[in-house]
Amino acid sequence: MSNGFLEAVKKRRSYYGISKQSPLSDDQIVSLIQDAVKYTPASFNSQSARALVLLGQQHDQLWDLTKETLRKIVPAEHFGATEGKMDAFKSGYGTVLFFEDNAVIEGLQKQFADYAENFPKWSLQSSGMVQYVVWTLLESEGFGASLQHYNPLIDDQVKSKWGVPASWQLIAQLPFGKPTSEPGDKEFQPIEERVKVHK
Amino acid sequence: MSNGFLEAVKKRRSYYGISKQSPLSDDQIVSLIQDAVKYTPASFNSQSARALVLLGQQHDQLWDLTKETLRKIVPAEHFGATEGKMDAFKSGYGTVLFFEDNAVIEGLQKQFADYAENFPKWSLQSSGMVQYVVWTLLESEGFGASLQHYNPLIDDQVKSKWGVPASWQLIAQLPFGKPTSEPGDKEFQPIEERVKVHK
């Protein structure tokens, strides 16, 4: 079975060594991310996923801002490693920030009260789908990327700096760039313990 | 840009009309689901995703069981529609049930106490990724599928009938089969309101 989707699924990895080169134009990058957000499903077709794409200096400023936030809380003797990580993300070409719009979720909770406690859970599952599609799509076009979680530490600064609506909840960040190094081997648990079959 | 991954992303839809025909052998179906579970990422490489694949009579029994559970709680005058939905799912070839292993999540919460409240959220995001990959992979091979949420109503019966470990938490169900009808048009919100760009 030759399957371009499966090939991309198998190839996707976390790339931590990334540079400011890009195999695509900025318009092509934005178009891919728009397609990912548009075509990825959400329960009740809620379309609650939101994304903020930062390129060039805006991307640099995100990781400077994150570094300075962490400087205030990470003990000085460990900060060297933290600073190295932030500079590695900053070495990339851009970052996609993933949000879910709480206004949409709260609207559904009012409209369908029987499912009220499920909507926040479905929102996170749907956000995971969008994160995955953007990640794998960028890598299928020659980028390397990794998924980071500096929320909620940076939420307020991100919102005020880039004018993000108050109802958008930050879920994850995906710095990306042209790979400068390949990821190492990954360890897998025996798949028979994870997938059971009855027929 | 020709991209097999993006093509599959754009083609994936919810198929409600499905039959018991299969474009693949059972071994090929299981192999695809194993690859999806194996290669889809999870934070801290937790590999907390689990799947139960039901084919043939086992699949039929799941939807009979779900129907009988719903019969006890859905008002009789609305049950006709419910029964029709259950029979439509049962008309398919198989169902993938998605779980997250709470034992893994609780282990991480103890090991990394600073992130304790994040692990359940990351687990749901990771589960969403696995659900999406299985869904899109099956459709890329000629199946139609849709994502359903009859948890927690059916959890106890599923666990006892198929010997599912107590720590596995049911998250979603994906009935699939050969499409017998095409989905209608889908409405999209303006993408510019959902994806913001700063460069």
Side-chain angles (χ1 to χ4, degrees):
Chain A
M1 294 185 282
S2 165
N3 182 318
F5 184 82
L6 181 56
E7 280 169 35
V9 165
K10 289 187 177 179
K11 265 190 71 183
R12 184 218 50 79
R13 293 293 307 276
S14 292
Y15 285 82
Y16 287 94
I18 51 177
S19 80
K20 290 195 182 298
Q21 288 187 288
S22 172
L24 302 179
S25 71
D26 287 355
D27 284 350
Q28 287 175 314
I29 293 170
V30 170
S31 171
L32 285 176
I33 296 165
Q34 286 178 328
D35 280 345
V37 171
K38 177 175 176 180
Y39 289 105
T40 303
S43 59
F44 287 69
N45 193 23
S46 68
Q47 303 182 60
S48 54
R50 303 286 180 267
L52 173 64
V53 184
L54 301 179
L55 302 174
Q57 288 191 336
Q58 307 290 323
H59 158 85
D60 291 357
Q61 287 168 20
L62 171 72
W63 295 106
D64 283 340
L65 168 167
T66 306
K67 188 203 295 188
E68 294 314 313
T69 303
L70 289 167
R71 193 190 298 275
K72 293 173 194 153
I73 57 169
V74 173
E77 64 270 27
H78 299 310
F79 190 69
T82 301
E83 187 165 29
K85 275 174 80 173
M86 296 305 113
D87 289 345
F89 298 141
K90 185 179 169 181
S91 298
Y93 188 80
T95 300
V96 185
L97 295 93
F98 299 93
F99 302 79
E100 286 285 296
D101 191 339
N102 280 335
V104 175
I105 297 158
E106 287 161 19
L108 287 165
Q109 288 179 309
K110 277 177 198 156
Q111 203 182 339
F112 304 98
D114 285 353
Y115 303 110
E117 68 179 36
N118 288 320
F119 287 112
K121 295 177 188 171
W122 292 335
S123 154
L124 290 176
Q125 291 168 59
S126 178
S127 175
M129 295 182 189
V130 175
Q131 295 163 38
Y132 179 83
V133 173
V134 172
W135 185 354
T136 310
L137 202 44
L138 288 174
E139 294 201 351
S140 74
E141 294 288 342
F143 282 112
S146 70
L147 201 55
Q148 304 301 322
H149 301 93
Y150 291 100
N151 45 289
L153 280 177
I154 60 172
D155 291 22
D156 292 345
Q157 288 175 87
V158 165
K159 282 190 175 175
S160 89
K161 184 163 177 61
W162 286 287
V164 173
S167 63
W168 292 23
Q169 177 85 40
L170 184 59
I171 311 283
Q173 305 86 47
L174 188 88
F176 63 92
K178 198 167 176 191
T180 57
S181 60
E182 289 297 310
D185 289 341
K186 191 169 178 176
E187 285 186 23
F188 294 109
Q189 292 169 29
I191 197 67
E192 295 74 17
E193 295 173 11
R194 303 180 62 198
V195 177
K196 305 286 184 189
V197 182
H198 292 270
K199 59 179 178 180
Chain B
M1 295 186 281
S2 164
N3 182 319
F5 183 84
L6 181 56
E7 280 170 35
V9 165
K10 288 186 178 178
K11 264 190 71 183
R12 185 220 49 79
R13 293 292 307 276
S14 292
Y15 285 82
Y16 287 94
I18 52 177
S19 81
K20 291 198 182 296
Q21 287 188 288
S22 173
L24 301 180
S25 71
D26 288 354
D27 284 351
Q28 287 175 316
I29 293 170
V30 171
S31 169
L32 285 177
I33 296 165
Q34 286 178 329
D35 279 346
V37 172
K38 177 175 176 180
Y39 289 105
T40 304
S43 60
F44 286 69
N45 194 22
S46 68
Q47 302 181 62
S48 54
R50 303 288 180 267
L52 173 64
V53 184
L54 301 179
L55 303 175
Q57 289 191 338
Q58 308 290 323
H59 158 85
D60 289 358
Q61 288 168 18
L62 172 73
W63 295 105
D64 283 341
L65 169 167
T66 306
K67 190 203 292 187
E68 294 315 312
T69 303
L70 289 167
R71 194 190 298 274
K72 294 172 194 153
I73 56 170
V74 174
E77 64 269 29
H78 298 310
F79 190 69
T82 301
E83 187 165 28
K85 274 175 81 173
M86 296 306 113
D87 290 344
F89 298 141
K90 184 180 170 181
S91 299
Y93 187 80
T95 300
V96 186
L97 295 93
F98 299 94
F99 302 80
E100 286 286 296
D101 191 340
N102 280 334
V104 174
I105 297 158
E106 287 162 17
L108 286 165
Q109 288 179 308
K110 278 176 196 155
Q111 201 181 341
F112 303 98
D114 284 355
Y115 303 111
E117 68 178 37
N118 288 320
F119 287 111
K121 295 177 189 170
W122 291 335
S123 155
L124 290 175
Q125 291 168 60
S126 178
S127 175
M129 295 182 189
V130 175
Q131 296 163 36
Y132 179 83
V133 173
V134 172
W135 184 355
T136 311
L137 203 44
L138 288 174
E139 294 200 353
S140 74
E141 294 288 344
F143 284 111
S146 69
L147 202 55
Q148 304 301 323
H149 301 94
Y150 292 99
N151 44 291
L153 281 177
I154 59 173
D155 292 22
D156 293 345
Q157 290 175 85
V158 166
K159 281 190 176 176
S160 90
K161 184 164 178 60
W162 287 286
V164 174
S167 63
W168 291 22
Q169 176 85 41
L170 184 58
I171 311 283
Q173 303 86 45
L174 187 88
F176 63 91
K178 198 165 177 195
T180 57
S181 60
E182 289 296 311
D185 289 340
K186 191 170 179 176
E187 286 187 22
F188 294 109
Q189 291 169 27
I191 197 66
E192 295 73 19
E193 294 173 10
R194 302 181 63 198
V195 177
K196 304 286 184 187
V197 181
H198 291 269
K199 59 183 179 176

